Amino acid sequence: MNDTLDVVLRLVGVLVVFLVLPLLVGQTEHKVMAHMQGRLGPMYAGGFHGWAQLVADGVKFAQKEDIVPADADRRIFQLAPAVALLPYLLVLIAIPVGPHGFVGQALDAGLFFVLAVMGVGVLGSLMAGWASANKFSLLGALRTAAQLLAYELPMLLAAASVAMAAGTLSLPGIVESYHWWWTPWQLLGGLVFFTAGLAELQRPPFDMPVADSEIIFGAYTEYTGLRFALFLLSEYAGIVVLSGLTTVLFLGGWHGPWSGSVGWLWTLLKAALLSFVVIWLRVSYPRLREDQLQKLAWTVLIPLSLAQIALTGVVKVVIS
Amino acid sequence: MNPGSALAAAAHHPGFLSPTGVEITFVLVGLATLGAALLTVTTRQLVHAALWLVVALGGLAVEYLLLTAEFIAWVQVLIYVGSVVVLLLFGLMLTRAPIGRSPDADSGNRWVAVAVAGAAAVTLVWVVVDAFRSTWIDVHGAVQGTSHATGTSLFRHWVLPFEALSVLLLAALVGAIVLSRRDDGGKETQ
């Protein structure tokens, strides 16, 4: 009975994190982008500096009519947002927040689990783009697929380098065996991982699949109301997951002063900092062209991640 | 294992008539997987076939999980669901992926294909049944499919096949690149 209660409590915790953190990131994006551009951003909803803007947005989305285009493949069109969103919820279960089992569920091959399940989310965009019966949607889905195929490999290789360094695939195990000099040692891999993760989330400057000036909103063009909100939510949940993963793999997770008592705070702080960087990149870089995207992945990121693996191997052999 | 211990082990085997919850789940997921696989080859809509394939491959991953082979299960999801099917969908969308039925999606080789698939299935089932005749996995004991156990057996007992496969895949990769570049080779060197 106690075990069941424990599992239920952990799952409820993960669900709460899943529902709260993406909204926090979204609100931060509103405010940070606005201030970087010399604006104020949302100021009215909720009173204090527009803190309830996203709640108001949610209410607005829920009130909108749910439209399915006449020529669309109804069932797949309606299923796609769930396929895009659920993987991120599952991934959150395996990301450790603090020491002593402060994690939804510690998995033996947690690193593999996280990367595998994150890769499934893109099926949602593909289904959405194809089922919409709209050429802009289809183009967006095609660009999504091409981008994912190109960036999955460097991301995996960078993660493999960390697994080699730690000698384990378990995410809590990786954080436990972390030392401060890992960050400079794995710096290259960390940069590759973060960049490839941004590309998988289709965040600017890698937002070619949803380029609004060319193909409206890519795979999500035909969506309205709650289903559209689910796609947006999956993007912000993706930012949370990517920041959390980069923190755990490359920045030492809960390590920091007084990590025994406030370790979870360190994880959240580092992840929040990375989320800020994600937002910062959105307002400061122009969109990459499709050929530049592919070129960056195949001729820069993959060789860099291979070099990182070689470096990891050499250092690992020397120090052991 | 000597005959005596094999007999003793056999005495402790659970029977087929008192299935545990895990076994029932295994059979149910297996049926769902089989159903999805059948739909994959019988549906008239090309993209639906690819999506049913996702369900079938995901079902297989769940079966691996139930057999405590955690590592293999996630590799299955990563490679097949996350990459192979995405590549498949990409290819379909690049060429021809109409919404609704594709009347020309049928092949004249249907019966040959059924025969080959049936023969392959019989061979595989026979080999697996023969190899693991009465081996039972203790799903409540130590996990037997951890990444540590898998890695140890892979790089201790199966290194040569592993390396041979790597070379084969590398050759396929190089071949694919050569084939895809041949056509516009003249234009490339302008």
Side-chain angles (χ1 to χ4, degrees), chain A residues 8-87:
Chain A
V8 169
L9 276 182
R10 278 165 192 267
L11 291 185
V12 168
V14 170
L15 192 65
V16 169
V17 167
F18 180 70
L19 291 177
V20 172
L21 286 191
L23 292 187
L24 270 180
V25 173
Q27 180 72 14
T28 316
E29 181 169 74
H30 273 314
K31 293 307 266 187
V32 168
M33 274 175 66
H35 283 284
M36 281 182 175
Q37 295 165 341
R39 300 182 283 121
L40 286 175
M43 286 301 280
Y44 293 102
F48 181 73
H49 285 267
W51 67 271
Q53 181 60 43
L54 287 190
V55 179
D57 278 347
V59 173
K60 181 193 75 179
F61 276 128
Q63 287 171 337
K64 282 191 173 178
E65 187 186 355
D66 186 31
I67 300 172
V68 180
D71 283 340
D73 193 316
R74 282 192 84 82
R75 262 187 304 170
I76 294 185
F77 185 84
Q78 291 173 336
L79 200 63
V83 177
L85 186 59
L86 279 183

Side-chain angles (χ1 to χ4, degrees), chain A residues 73 76 108-109 113 126 130 142, chain B residues 48 51 70 74 93 97 146-147:
Chain A
D73 193 316
I76 294 185
D108 168 54
F113 166 77
L126 282 179
W130 174 77
L142 272 178
Chain B
H48 283 196
L51 294 175
E70 202 183 294
W74 303 136
M93 289 179 185
T146 58
S147 40

Side-chain angles (χ1 to χ4, degrees), chain A residues 300-316:
Chain A
V300 178
L301 292 186
I302 289 180
L304 279 182
S305 53
L306 287 175
Q308 173 67 63
I309 285 191
L311 177 72
T312 309
V314 169
V315 173
K316 189 82 181 162

